């Protein structure tokens, strides 16, 4: 029986967010851009790979460390993404990374 709310959130919310993310187009104006010295396409790919792995099996320690680093990077770059589409895209990545890493959602 699952009693930890963050585990409940992860089990319900992460697959939903992943489904939305898989249908979303990468913001074209951010392709090839660096923000705060970070490559946004690479950041997207790193998070997506780890999240995808976490949905199919237990997240290994290497991927969890990768997600924790990506969370730090996302928190650094998000304030510098000024358009609504880009912000929404990277906020969703941030929330998925937190959930997959077992940190709960961004409001929790």
């Amino acid at each position: 029986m699952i009693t930890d709310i963050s585990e409940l959130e992860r089990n319900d919310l992460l697959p939903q967010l992943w489904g939305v993310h898989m249908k979303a187009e990468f913001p074209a104006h951010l392709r090839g851009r660096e923000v705060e010295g970070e490559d946004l396409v690479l950041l997207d790919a790193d998070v997506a790979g780890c999240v995808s792995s976490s949905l199919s099996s237990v997240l290994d320690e290497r991927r969890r460390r990768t997600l924790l680093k990506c969370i730090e990077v996302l928190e650094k770059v998000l304030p510098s993404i000024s358009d609504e589409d880009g912000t929404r895209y990277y906020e969703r990545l941030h929330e998925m990374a937190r959930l997959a890493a077992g940190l709960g959602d961004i409001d929790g």
Side-chain angles (χ1 to χ4, degrees), residues 13-81:
L13 186 56
L14 185 57
Q16 291 173 15
L17 288 172
W18 180 249
V20 169
H21 192 71
M22 291 304 295
K23 293 176 185 172
E25 286 189 39
F26 185 86
H29 64 282
L30 296 178
R31 191 168 286 118
R33 276 200 51 212
E34 285 190 8
V35 173
E36 300 293 328
E38 303 292 341
D39 182 310
L40 295 180
V41 172
L42 184 58
L43 179 58
D44 177 42
D46 285 347
V47 173
C50 292
V51 168
S52 176
S53 293
S54 79
L55 289 169
S56 62
S57 65
V58 175
L59 193 67
D60 62 43
E61 189 56 33
R62 181 182 61 84
R63 286 185 179 94
R64 187 169 190 280
R65 281 192 312 269
T66 298
L67 281 174
L68 294 174
K69 177 62 178 160
C70 288
I71 290 165
E72 289 178 21
V73 171
L74 284 160
E75 290 171 355
K76 178 175 76 169
V77 302
L78 266 166
S80 297
I81 300 174

